[in-house]
């Protein structure tokens, strides 16, 4: 599992700290190397009533991402993260 410190950008508000994002992909060894974080270029997409819709593609050897996401009850926002620790 890899945990990312995240920030959210809501138009005129600039970047603000958001909740950590934990990514766990345990069934595909070729996607998640031994370091526990997704390989560079891996895209993870989600859709749920509680979490809304999002898709992140990892870069810098899986240590960062920056995307547009839409969380439940909100409009599209900028969303980025950096590997914690």
């Amino acid at each position: 599992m890899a945990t990312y410190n995240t920030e959210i950008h809501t138009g005129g508000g600039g970047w603000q700290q958001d909740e950590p994002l934990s990514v766990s992909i345990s069934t595909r060894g070729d996607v998640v190397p031994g370091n526990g974080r997704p390989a560079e270029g891996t895209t993870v997409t989600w859709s749920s009533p509680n979490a809304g819709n999002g898709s992140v593609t990892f870069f810098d050897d899986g240590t960062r991402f920056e995307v547009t996401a839409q969380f439940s009850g909100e409009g599209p926002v900028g969303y980025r993260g950096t590997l914690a620790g």
Side-chain angles (χ1 to χ4, degrees):
M1 178 168 59
T3 299
Y4 293 81
N5 296 321
T6 66
E7 295 177 301
I8 194 167
H9 190 281
T10 56
W15 288 102
Q16 301 169 14
Q17 185 175 353
D18 199 39
E19 297 294 322
L21 173 69
S22 293
V23 178
S24 177
I25 304 171
S26 59
T27 60
R28 300 285 179 227
D30 57 336
V31 174
V32 182
N35 59 21
R37 63 183 179 254
E40 184 168 341
T42 299
T43 299
V44 175
T45 302
W46 68 87
S47 178
S48 82
N50 295 333
N53 304 308
S55 178
V56 297
T57 300
F58 297 89
F59 59 96
D60 286 347
D61 197 26
T63 62
R64 298 189 311 139
F65 67 85
E66 187 166 340
V67 298
T68 299
Q70 186 162 359
F71 300 105
S72 183
E74 300 177 6
V77 295
Y79 188 56
R80 67 184 181 190
T82 304
L83 187 66

